Amino acid sequence: MYARSILMGVAASTLFSSVLFAQPGDPSAELQRSAKQISEAGLRAHIRFLADDLLEGRGPGTRGDRLAQKYIASRLESLGFEPAAPGGGFFQPVPLVGVKTNAPPTLIIRGGDKKLQLDRLEDFVVTNGAPTEESRIEDAELVFVGYGMVAPEYQWNDFKTDVKGKVLLIMNNDPSDDPELFAGKRRLYYGRWDYKYEVAAKRGAVGAIIIHTTPSAGYPYSVVRTSWSGVQFELADSAGPRTKMNGWVTEAAARRLTALTGHDLDALRAKAERRDFEPVPLGSTLSLALDCEVRRNETANVLARLPGSDPELSKEAVVFMAHHDHIGIAESRDESGDNIYNGAVDNASGVASLLCVAEACAALPRRPKRSILIAAVGAEEQGLLGSEFFAAHPSPAAGYLAAVVNIDGVGILGPTHDINVIGLGK
């Protein structure tokens, strides 16, 4: 799959030149020479190894995950980078707990004397909301809660009635029609799936089901089906209230679910675009039994430092970051018999760029005043867990992180003409 990544060294080279101390449009000769260390051949070589079947998709805590970490650390050590993990060494352990949910093949929704059967994977995916060996939901009422958001700064509250003990049906993303409301089409944290599960738990709901649409998610349902049907990880020390079940349904399944008791999904969604929206009981219930396998595991962030040249400013660091993990091995095989998600673009290409930038930094005849920190983080596909752990336990301390450049995939279709700048909260 690495062959899909038709990469040019110019992208990483431009990034390298613009972030370090050259002025825009006027890079120094020595910076230009160092940037030539970044080449298409180098990018392809790193991608070829990291996306090989040998690494089995680099799922968190797997042998392939550890091989990727070792490869990255050895390359950085060979370039003269120092270990930068707290306590020494190149590896910052990230403790995880994983839950493999054995969900039933069908989900039955009952509304009066009617019932609806939804098929696992085809119509829905569900996981245990907590790292426990079982969860049971008995005749819980389904309630449509719109976007499922509480945003005081926008005078927005989708929970005007009590939803304790309910299963919530939630729209993905956040309102986007008004540029003055929730930053228009930009996705805020309120629009993320993890926020919606979190707020559902805080409100005492026993379950939360998000309605998938490709426009609202930015990817097809097949991505949800793949990502949510295997082991789901979280940081081992995570705390706080939990639901008993988190899930997704397709838009078609959501239409059938709401129509079961005479509701129209489009009409419900139209109401949810307004501040005065109130939760709508759907007049239906579900029962669900989940048996789970709980596994404790560990991945690691790879942290390496190239000391800066200024006695004071070298205490600060410019961070180049990319995640080294991918999804791993799927339960089922595709039509070609393959079940390895190699992750060539996402994110072997980002790690390849990271290593090539590190090589260019090491080749500088004069090092930048600030130190360069290379951070290859783990368990990104499971909810940015390695990044979250690094943010909670940074090295150097948070006040000394001057800037972070994160590389999550590299353009594979040739030169680009547009740049999206993502800032705080976006």
Short mmCIF file of all heavy atoms in Angstrom, two decimals, residues 316-363:
data_model
loop_
_atom_site.label_atom_id
_atom_site.label_comp_id
_atom_site.label_asym_id
_atom_site.label_seq_id
_atom_site.Cartn_x
_atom_site.Cartn_y
_atom_site.Cartn_z
N GLU A 316 13.82 25.97 25.42
CA GLU A 316 12.55 25.85 24.72
C GLU A 316 12.70 24.87 23.55
O GLU A 316 13.81 24.58 23.12
CB GLU A 316 12.09 27.21 24.19
CG GLU A 316 11.89 28.25 25.28
CD GLU A 316 11.43 29.58 24.71
OE1 GLU A 316 11.08 29.63 23.50
OE2 GLU A 316 11.43 30.56 25.46
N ALA A 317 11.58 24.39 23.06
CA ALA A 317 11.64 23.41 21.97
C ALA A 317 10.58 23.72 20.91
O ALA A 317 9.44 24.08 21.23
CB ALA A 317 11.43 22.01 22.50
N VAL A 318 10.97 23.57 19.66
CA VAL A 318 10.04 23.52 18.54
C VAL A 318 9.76 22.05 18.29
O VAL A 318 10.68 21.26 18.07
CB VAL A 318 10.61 24.19 17.29
CG1 VAL A 318 9.68 23.99 16.10
CG2 VAL A 318 10.85 25.68 17.53
N VAL A 319 8.49 21.67 18.37
CA VAL A 319 8.12 20.26 18.31
C VAL A 319 7.60 19.91 16.93
O VAL A 319 6.71 20.56 16.39
CB VAL A 319 7.02 19.94 19.35
CG1 VAL A 319 6.72 18.44 19.37
CG2 VAL A 319 7.44 20.42 20.74
N PHE A 320 8.20 18.88 16.34
CA PHE A 320 7.66 18.26 15.13
C PHE A 320 7.03 16.94 15.56
O PHE A 320 7.70 16.09 16.16
CB PHE A 320 8.77 18.02 14.10
CG PHE A 320 9.28 19.27 13.44
CD1 PHE A 320 10.35 19.96 13.98
CD2 PHE A 320 8.68 19.76 12.29
CE1 PHE A 320 10.83 21.11 13.38
CE2 PHE A 320 9.15 20.91 11.68
CZ PHE A 320 10.23 21.59 12.22
N MET A 321 5.74 16.77 15.25
CA MET A 321 4.98 15.64 15.78
C MET A 321 4.23 14.90 14.68
O MET A 321 3.78 15.49 13.70
CB MET A 321 3.99 16.16 16.83
CG MET A 321 3.05 15.13 17.42
SD MET A 321 1.87 15.85 18.61
CE MET A 321 2.96 16.16 20.00
N ALA A 322 4.12 13.58 14.85
CA ALA A 322 3.29 12.75 13.98
C ALA A 322 2.93 11.49 14.76
O ALA A 322 3.70 11.06 15.62
CB ALA A 322 4.01 12.39 12.69
N HIS A 323 1.80 10.89 14.47
CA HIS A 323 1.45 9.64 15.17
C HIS A 323 1.95 8.44 14.39
O HIS A 323 1.86 8.40 13.16
CB HIS A 323 -0.06 9.56 15.45
CG HIS A 323 -0.93 9.28 14.26
ND1 HIS A 323 -1.26 8.01 13.85
CD2 HIS A 323 -1.57 10.12 13.42
CE1 HIS A 323 -2.07 8.08 12.81
NE2 HIS A 323 -2.26 9.35 12.52
N HIS A 324 2.47 7.46 15.12
CA HIS A 324 3.09 6.30 14.46
C HIS A 324 2.14 5.12 14.33
O HIS A 324 2.47 4.13 13.66
CB HIS A 324 4.37 5.87 15.18
CG HIS A 324 4.19 5.52 16.64
ND1 HIS A 324 3.48 4.42 17.07
CD2 HIS A 324 4.63 6.14 17.77
CE1 HIS A 324 3.51 4.35 18.38
NE2 HIS A 324 4.19 5.41 18.84
N ASP A 325 0.98 5.16 14.95
CA ASP A 325 0.06 4.02 14.95
C ASP A 325 -0.90 4.07 13.77
O ASP A 325 -1.05 5.09 13.09
CB ASP A 325 -0.76 4.00 16.24
CG ASP A 325 -1.66 5.23 16.35
OD1 ASP A 325 -1.10 6.35 16.40
OD2 ASP A 325 -2.89 5.08 16.34
N HIS A 326 -1.57 2.94 13.54
CA HIS A 326 -2.71 2.88 12.62
C HIS A 326 -3.73 1.91 13.22
O HIS A 326 -3.68 1.61 14.41
CB HIS A 326 -2.29 2.50 11.21
CG HIS A 326 -3.35 2.76 10.17
ND1 HIS A 326 -3.90 4.00 9.99
CD2 HIS A 326 -3.97 1.94 9.29
CE1 HIS A 326 -4.82 3.94 9.03
NE2 HIS A 326 -4.89 2.69 8.60
N ILE A 327 -4.65 1.39 12.43
CA ILE A 327 -5.77 0.60 12.95
C ILE A 327 -5.38 -0.82 13.29
O ILE A 327 -5.91 -1.42 14.22
CB ILE A 327 -6.93 0.63 11.93
CG1 ILE A 327 -7.46 2.07 11.81
CG2 ILE A 327 -8.05 -0.32 12.35
CD1 ILE A 327 -8.46 2.25 10.69
N GLY A 328 -4.43 -1.40 12.54
CA GLY A 328 -4.01 -2.78 12.82
C GLY A 328 -4.68 -3.79 11.92
O GLY A 328 -4.84 -3.56 10.72
N ILE A 329 -5.09 -4.91 12.50
CA ILE A 329 -5.67 -6.02 11.75
C ILE A 329 -7.18 -6.05 11.98
O ILE A 329 -7.65 -6.02 13.11
CB ILE A 329 -5.04 -7.35 12.16
CG1 ILE A 329 -3.53 -7.33 11.86
CG2 ILE A 329 -5.71 -8.52 11.44
CD1 ILE A 329 -2.81 -8.58 12.28
N ALA A 330 -7.95 -6.12 10.89
CA ALA A 330 -9.41 -6.17 10.97
C ALA A 330 -9.89 -7.59 11.26
O ALA A 330 -9.17 -8.57 11.01
CB ALA A 330 -10.02 -5.66 9.68
N GLU A 331 -11.11 -7.69 11.76
CA GLU A 331 -11.70 -9.00 12.03
C GLU A 331 -11.97 -9.77 10.75
O GLU A 331 -11.79 -10.98 10.68
CB GLU A 331 -13.01 -8.84 12.82
CG GLU A 331 -12.82 -8.34 14.24
CD GLU A 331 -14.14 -8.28 14.98
OE1 GLU A 331 -15.19 -8.55 14.36
OE2 GLU A 331 -14.13 -7.97 16.19
N SER A 332 -12.43 -9.08 9.73
CA SER A 332 -12.79 -9.73 8.47
C SER A 332 -11.87 -9.28 7.35
O SER A 332 -11.26 -8.22 7.41
CB SER A 332 -14.24 -9.40 8.11
OG SER A 332 -14.42 -8.00 8.00
N ARG A 333 -11.77 -10.12 6.33
CA ARG A 333 -10.91 -9.83 5.19
C ARG A 333 -11.71 -9.20 4.05
O ARG A 333 -12.91 -9.43 3.93
CB ARG A 333 -10.24 -11.12 4.69
CG ARG A 333 -9.32 -11.76 5.72
CD ARG A 333 -8.69 -13.05 5.21
NE ARG A 333 -7.86 -13.67 6.22
CZ ARG A 333 -6.57 -13.38 6.41
NH1 ARG A 333 -5.98 -12.51 5.62
NH2 ARG A 333 -5.89 -13.98 7.37
N ASP A 334 -11.03 -8.40 3.24
CA ASP A 334 -11.71 -7.81 2.09
C ASP A 334 -11.76 -8.81 0.94
O ASP A 334 -11.35 -9.96 1.08
CB ASP A 334 -11.04 -6.50 1.67
CG ASP A 334 -9.59 -6.68 1.21
OD1 ASP A 334 -9.20 -7.81 0.86
OD2 ASP A 334 -8.86 -5.68 1.19
N GLU A 335 -12.25 -8.35 -0.22
CA GLU A 335 -12.43 -9.27 -1.34
C GLU A 335 -11.12 -9.88 -1.85
O GLU A 335 -11.11 -10.95 -2.47
CB GLU A 335 -13.15 -8.55 -2.50
CG GLU A 335 -12.46 -7.31 -3.02
CD GLU A 335 -12.81 -6.05 -2.22
OE1 GLU A 335 -13.48 -6.18 -1.18
OE2 GLU A 335 -12.39 -4.96 -2.65
N SER A 336 -10.00 -9.22 -1.55
CA SER A 336 -8.70 -9.76 -1.98
C SER A 336 -8.09 -10.69 -0.93
O SER A 336 -7.03 -11.26 -1.14
CB SER A 336 -7.73 -8.61 -2.27
OG SER A 336 -7.38 -7.94 -1.06
N GLY A 337 -8.77 -10.82 0.23
CA GLY A 337 -8.25 -11.68 1.29
C GLY A 337 -7.35 -10.96 2.27
O GLY A 337 -6.76 -11.58 3.15
N ASP A 338 -7.26 -9.64 2.16
CA ASP A 338 -6.37 -8.84 3.03
C ASP A 338 -7.15 -8.32 4.23
O ASP A 338 -8.29 -7.87 4.08
CB ASP A 338 -5.80 -7.68 2.22
CG ASP A 338 -4.71 -6.93 2.98
OD1 ASP A 338 -4.29 -7.40 4.05
OD2 ASP A 338 -4.27 -5.87 2.49
N ASN A 339 -6.57 -8.41 5.41
CA ASN A 339 -7.21 -7.82 6.60
C ASN A 339 -6.27 -6.92 7.38
O ASN A 339 -6.51 -6.61 8.53
CB ASN A 339 -7.76 -8.91 7.51
CG ASN A 339 -6.67 -9.78 8.13
OD1 ASN A 339 -5.56 -9.84 7.62
ND2 ASN A 339 -6.99 -10.44 9.22
N ILE A 340 -5.16 -6.49 6.74
CA ILE A 340 -4.21 -5.59 7.39
C ILE A 340 -4.45 -4.16 6.89
O ILE A 340 -4.42 -3.90 5.69
CB ILE A 340 -2.75 -6.00 7.11
CG1 ILE A 340 -2.48 -7.39 7.69
CG2 ILE A 340 -1.78 -4.98 7.70
CD1 ILE A 340 -1.10 -7.92 7.36
N TYR A 341 -4.68 -3.26 7.83
CA TYR A 341 -4.79 -1.84 7.49
C TYR A 341 -3.39 -1.23 7.65
O TYR A 341 -2.98 -0.87 8.74
CB TYR A 341 -5.82 -1.16 8.40
CG TYR A 341 -7.23 -1.51 8.02
CD1 TYR A 341 -7.82 -2.67 8.49
CD2 TYR A 341 -7.96 -0.70 7.16
CE1 TYR A 341 -9.11 -3.02 8.12
CE2 TYR A 341 -9.26 -1.03 6.79
CZ TYR A 341 -9.82 -2.19 7.27
OH TYR A 341 -11.11 -2.53 6.91
N ASN A 342 -2.68 -1.11 6.54
CA ASN A 342 -1.26 -0.77 6.58
C ASN A 342 -0.98 0.68 6.98
O ASN A 342 0.08 0.97 7.52
CB ASN A 342 -0.61 -1.05 5.22
CG ASN A 342 -0.75 -2.50 4.81
OD1 ASN A 342 -1.83 -2.92 4.39
ND2 ASN A 342 0.30 -3.28 4.93
N GLY A 343 -1.89 1.59 6.69
CA GLY A 343 -1.69 2.98 7.10
C GLY A 343 -0.52 3.66 6.42
O GLY A 343 0.27 4.35 7.07
N ALA A 344 -0.43 3.49 5.11
CA ALA A 344 0.69 4.11 4.38
C ALA A 344 0.61 5.63 4.43
O ALA A 344 1.60 6.31 4.71
CB ALA A 344 0.69 3.62 2.92
N VAL A 345 -0.56 6.16 4.12
CA VAL A 345 -0.74 7.62 4.18
C VAL A 345 -0.93 8.07 5.61
O VAL A 345 -0.31 9.02 6.08
CB VAL A 345 -1.94 8.04 3.30
CG1 VAL A 345 -2.20 9.54 3.44
CG2 VAL A 345 -1.67 7.69 1.85
N ASP A 346 -1.82 7.36 6.33
CA ASP A 346 -2.20 7.73 7.71
C ASP A 346 -1.66 6.68 8.68
O ASP A 346 -2.36 5.72 8.97
CB ASP A 346 -3.72 7.85 7.78
CG ASP A 346 -4.23 8.32 9.13
OD1 ASP A 346 -3.42 8.81 9.94
OD2 ASP A 346 -5.43 8.17 9.38
N ASN A 347 -0.42 6.79 9.22
CA ASN A 347 0.35 8.00 9.09
C ASN A 347 1.83 7.66 8.88
O ASN A 347 2.70 8.34 9.38
CB ASN A 347 0.16 8.88 10.34
CG ASN A 347 0.71 10.26 10.21
OD1 ASN A 347 0.78 10.81 9.12
ND2 ASN A 347 1.14 10.82 11.29
N ALA A 348 2.08 6.58 8.11
CA ALA A 348 3.47 6.29 7.77
C ALA A 348 4.08 7.46 7.01
O ALA A 348 5.27 7.78 7.19
CB ALA A 348 3.56 5.01 6.94
N SER A 349 3.27 8.13 6.19
CA SER A 349 3.80 9.27 5.45
C SER A 349 4.16 10.43 6.38
O SER A 349 5.15 11.14 6.16
CB SER A 349 2.79 9.74 4.39
OG SER A 349 1.65 10.32 4.99
N GLY A 350 3.37 10.62 7.44
CA GLY A 350 3.69 11.67 8.40
C GLY A 350 4.96 11.37 9.17
O GLY A 350 5.80 12.26 9.40
N VAL A 351 5.12 10.11 9.58
CA VAL A 351 6.34 9.72 10.30
C VAL A 351 7.55 9.81 9.37
O VAL A 351 8.64 10.23 9.78
CB VAL A 351 6.20 8.30 10.88
CG1 VAL A 351 7.51 7.85 11.51
CG2 VAL A 351 5.09 8.26 11.91
N ALA A 352 7.36 9.42 8.11
CA ALA A 352 8.46 9.54 7.15
C ALA A 352 8.90 10.99 7.02
O ALA A 352 10.10 11.31 6.99
CB ALA A 352 8.01 8.99 5.79
N SER A 353 7.94 11.90 6.94
CA SER A 353 8.27 13.33 6.88
C SER A 353 8.99 13.78 8.14
O SER A 353 9.94 14.55 8.10
CB SER A 353 6.99 14.15 6.69
OG SER A 353 6.35 13.81 5.49
N LEU A 354 8.52 13.27 9.29
CA LEU A 354 9.14 13.59 10.57
C LEU A 354 10.61 13.19 10.57
O LEU A 354 11.49 13.97 10.96
CB LEU A 354 8.39 12.84 11.67
CG LEU A 354 8.48 13.33 13.11
CD1 LEU A 354 7.82 14.68 13.24
CD2 LEU A 354 7.80 12.32 14.03
N LEU A 355 10.90 11.99 10.11
CA LEU A 355 12.27 11.49 10.10
C LEU A 355 13.14 12.26 9.10
O LEU A 355 14.32 12.52 9.36
CB LEU A 355 12.29 10.00 9.79
CG LEU A 355 11.68 9.10 10.87
CD1 LEU A 355 11.60 7.65 10.40
CD2 LEU A 355 12.47 9.19 12.17
N CYS A 356 12.55 12.63 7.97
CA CYS A 356 13.32 13.40 6.99
C CYS A 356 13.60 14.81 7.48
O CYS A 356 14.69 15.35 7.25
CB CYS A 356 12.57 13.43 5.66
SG CYS A 356 12.59 11.86 4.76
N VAL A 357 12.64 15.41 8.18
CA VAL A 357 12.87 16.73 8.78
C VAL A 357 13.96 16.62 9.85
O VAL A 357 14.83 17.50 9.96
CB VAL A 357 11.56 17.28 9.38
CG1 VAL A 357 11.84 18.46 10.31
CG2 VAL A 357 10.61 17.70 8.27
N ALA A 358 13.92 15.54 10.63
CA ALA A 358 14.96 15.33 11.65
C ALA A 358 16.34 15.22 11.00
O ALA A 358 17.33 15.77 11.52
CB ALA A 358 14.66 14.06 12.44
N GLU A 359 16.41 14.53 9.87
CA GLU A 359 17.69 14.39 9.16
C GLU A 359 18.18 15.76 8.68
O GLU A 359 19.39 16.06 8.76
CB GLU A 359 17.53 13.44 7.98
CG GLU A 359 18.82 13.10 7.28
CD GLU A 359 18.66 12.02 6.22
OE1 GLU A 359 17.55 11.45 6.12
OE2 GLU A 359 19.64 11.74 5.51
N ALA A 360 17.26 16.58 8.18
CA ALA A 360 17.65 17.92 7.72
C ALA A 360 18.11 18.78 8.89
O ALA A 360 19.08 19.55 8.77
CB ALA A 360 16.47 18.57 7.00
N CYS A 361 17.43 18.66 10.03
CA CYS A 361 17.84 19.43 11.22
C CYS A 361 19.25 19.02 11.66
O CYS A 361 20.07 19.88 12.01
CB CYS A 361 16.86 19.19 12.36
SG CYS A 361 15.24 19.95 12.13
N ALA A 362 19.50 17.72 11.64
CA ALA A 362 20.82 17.22 12.07
C ALA A 362 21.92 17.67 11.13
O ALA A 362 23.09 17.78 11.54
CB ALA A 362 20.79 15.71 12.17
N ALA A 363 21.57 17.96 9.87
CA ALA A 363 22.57 18.35 8.88
C ALA A 363 22.87 19.84 8.89
O ALA A 363 23.77 20.30 8.17
CB ALA A 363 22.09 17.93 7.48
#
